[in-house]
Amino acid sequence: MQIVKPVGKEAASRKYDLLSALSVHGLGADPGTQRRVLRLISLITARYNWQRDELCVGQREIARMWSVDERTVKREMARLRALGWLVQKTRGARGRISTYGLDLVQILEDTRPAWGLVGEDFVARLGPAEGVAETNVVPMRPVSAPKGQGVWAGAQALLAAEQPGLYGAWLSGLTEVEISGGKVVLAAGSSFQQSYIATHCKQVLTAALRRVDPALQGVEIIC
């Protein structure tokens, strides 16, 4: 499954696809899930900053939008984090509001069973469903590894071939800074990307890099 962030030339269609996937998933679920999905959609459409990949809105404002109290907001935001749909980027403190990012990979993976309710063209845009041959799928945007020499270039080729969804969504934008002390230092484009990759992708990166150079001890992600 090729996951591309909703920015750039095709941003509008990708946003609609994400909202469509959430909508059909929620409509076919239990009332509690329906309500939770609708609440998330309201935050995405009203307050999500796609350029910064960030949701920054206070609990009081969310409570007003959802017509609930702030205790309900805390509970629902915790559930969305537990689902993996929202990833906390910064924790709120006195005078500061918590900021969140959307985990598009997790959202689309969880909503995948409902894609067919929209139509075959929708399934084809987002990725292969159960029982659909890979050759019949039209990816949203193929992402291939750049040709080059070196450890990171070799690891990119492996990742793009073996885990194209993960590579296209998160890893293709990493750039090599240096190899120092047995570690490859890679730079991410944002603090959110750095945090997500360090939390969820470090083992995959390390394994790919060590297949290229077994002497390497690990990888460090910086912003």
Side-chain angles (χ1 to χ4, degrees):
M1 178 172 59
Q2 303 287 345
I3 310 297
V4 183
K5 289 186 177 298
V7 293
K9 183 179 179 181
E10 300 175 355
S13 63
R14 290 197 291 272
K15 291 173 187 175
Y16 282 129
D17 284 343
L18 174 67
L19 295 174
S20 297
L22 281 168
S23 298
V24 294
H25 169 75
L27 288 169
D30 60 272
T33 300
Q34 290 180 4
R35 189 163 51 244
R36 187 166 301 119
V37 169
L38 180 58
R39 286 169 174 169
L40 177 60
I41 289 174
S42 71
L43 290 180
I44 293 173
T45 55
R47 287 290 180 264
Y48 204 80
N49 186 324
W50 293 101
Q51 293 298 323
R52 297 180 61 180
D53 192 18
E54 184 176 273
L55 173 68
C56 184
V57 56
Q59 291 181 356
R60 184 175 301 176
E61 184 178 354
I62 296 174
R64 186 173 65 249
M65 290 172 57
W66 289 356
S67 299
V68 298
D69 55 34
E70 291 185 41
R71 291 178 59 186
T72 301
V73 171
K74 291 180 181 179
R75 186 168 59 249
E76 284 291 85
M77 295 297 280
R79 287 172 177 167
L80 289 169
R81 292 197 304 273
L83 286 169
W85 292 4
L86 285 181
V87 179
Q88 190 168 50
K89 299 170 69 174
T90 61
R91 186 178 296 276
R94 183 173 298 179
R96 291 184 58 189
I97 297 173
S98 296
T99 59
Y100 300 89
L102 290 172
D103 188 334
L104 303 183
V105 174
Q106 188 65 54
I107 291 174
L108 292 183
E109 188 63 31
D110 289 347
T111 60
R112 181 197 291 268
W115 294 356
L117 300 175
V118 180
E120 293 182 1
D121 60 322
F122 187 77
V123 175
R125 284 202 305 276
L126 293 187
E130 296 290 337
V132 178
E134 184 75 27
T135 54
N136 293 333
V137 175
V138 180
M140 292 175 69
R141 183 190 297 171
V143 178
S144 57
K147 296 180 179 179
Q149 302 295 321
V151 175
W152 176 229
Q156 282 182 291
L158 290 174
L159 292 164
E162 297 175 2
Q163 301 200 47
L166 180 65
Y167 178 75
W170 295 102
L171 307 179
S172 60
L174 293 174
T175 57
E176 183 178 342
V177 177
E178 63 177 353
I179 300 178
S180 177
K183 288 187 176 182
V184 178
V185 180
L186 301 174
S190 69
S191 59
F192 176 51
Q193 183 188 23
Q194 175 198 22
S195 175
Y196 185 93
I197 292 172
T199 302
H200 300 284
C201 310
K202 204 165 184 178
Q203 286 186 328
V204 173
L205 276 173
T206 301
L209 288 163
R210 294 193 67 182
R211 285 171 63 186
V212 178
D213 184 353
L216 290 172
Q217 298 176 7
V219 60
E220 180 182 355
I221 311 299
I222 65 173
C223 181

